[in-house]
Amino acid sequence: WQSQLGNAWDAWLAEITAYRARLAALMHAPRADCVVPKTSAGQGLRAILNSYDRPPRVVATRGEFDSIDLILRQYALRKRIELRFVEARADGMFEADELLAAIRDVDLVVVSQVLFNTGQVLPALPALIGAAHSSGARVLLDVYHSLGVLPVDIGALDADFAIGGSYKYLRGGPGAGYMYL
C-alpha cells in the first residue's frame, strides 16, 4: 500500500475475487459472488439477523459454537430475535426428530453441520433444510467445523446462508471469515 498507493487496490481486489472463487469451489457454491468476505462468522450471522424487518423467530441447537451462541443470546436479550433452543440428549448428541419438530413456526434455523464440542455431524441435515423451507423458514448453516474436513456441497444442501472462517480447518489466519448467501 505504501509504495503503490491507490494502485494497490487492483491487486487487492484481484485477491479478494480469487479468495471468493476458492471458497465457492470448496463449498460447491453456484457462483463466486455468493461468497462475501467477513472478519468473522459472527459478523455474517449478525448481517443475516439484521436483515429482518421485525424480530425473527430463530431456533438453534444448544451445541452452537460459543461466539455464535453469544450473539444469539444477546439478540434475544435485547428483543431483536425470539430464540428457542433444541436440547441435546444426556450424551450431548442431537436427534433428528427433535430438530425437525423444533422448526415449526420459525423464520430462521441456525445450525452447525458439525457440532464443535462433540464432533457430531448434524443428523438428517438435508431433511432438516427441506422441512425448514417447506415451513417457510430460512436456514443458516455454520460450516466452520466442517469445510475443509468434510465434503460440503452447499448447492445440494440448499441452505440459504452459510458462515465460517479460515482460522481452523482451512489452515488460514484469523480475520478471514465468510458468509455464503
Side-chain angles (χ1 to χ4, degrees):
W1 291 106
Q2 185 176 2
S3 64
Q4 295 182 9
L5 300 174
N7 293 330
W9 281 107
D10 294 337
W12 175 250
L13 291 174
E15 180 49 37
I16 291 296
T17 300
Y19 172 72
R20 293 170 76 185
R22 288 189 297 269
L23 281 170
L26 188 59
M27 69 175 73
H28 297 94
R31 299 181 327 269
D33 64 353
C34 293
V35 178
V36 180
K38 294 289 184 183
T39 58
S40 67
Q43 188 187 43
L45 171 62
R46 287 188 301 274
I48 299 307
L49 294 175
N50 292 341
S51 72
Y52 286 87
D53 291 332
R54 61 171 179 76
R57 299 163 297 173
V58 178
V59 68
T61 73
R62 288 273 187 202
E64 299 311 310
F65 189 70
D66 297 340
S67 59
I68 301 306
D69 180 73
L70 177 66
I71 291 166
L72 292 171
R73 289 176 187 275
Q74 286 300 310
Y75 268 62
L77 182 67
R78 296 172 190 272
K79 307 283 189 234
R80 295 185 67 190
I81 64 172
E82 295 175 27
L83 180 62
R84 291 191 330 240
F85 284 108
V86 176
E87 302 292 337
R89 298 183 316 213
D91 64 359
M93 306 301 264
F94 290 89
E95 291 286 341
D97 291 345
E98 292 174 13
L99 291 164
L100 288 167
I103 62 171
R104 292 185 181 91
D105 299 320
V106 299
D107 300 304
L108 181 66
V109 178
V110 177
V111 291
S112 294
Q113 185 175 21
V114 173
L115 296 233
F116 82 101
N117 56 350
T118 62
Q120 178 187 15
V121 176
L122 198 67
L125 189 55
L128 177 69
I129 293 170
H133 288 161
S134 292
S135 70
R138 293 181 174 150
V139 177
L140 185 149
L141 184 61
D142 185 339
V143 296
Y144 217 129
H145 295 91
S146 55
L147 193 65
V149 178
L150 300 175
V152 175
D153 190 336
I154 204 74
L157 285 170
D158 197 27
D160 301 285
F161 314 105
I163 55 174
S166 299
Y167 180 65
K168 296 181 182 184
Y169 302 108
L170 295 180
R171 309 294 291 166
Y178 53 86
M179 173 178 69
Y180 161 85
L181 59 138

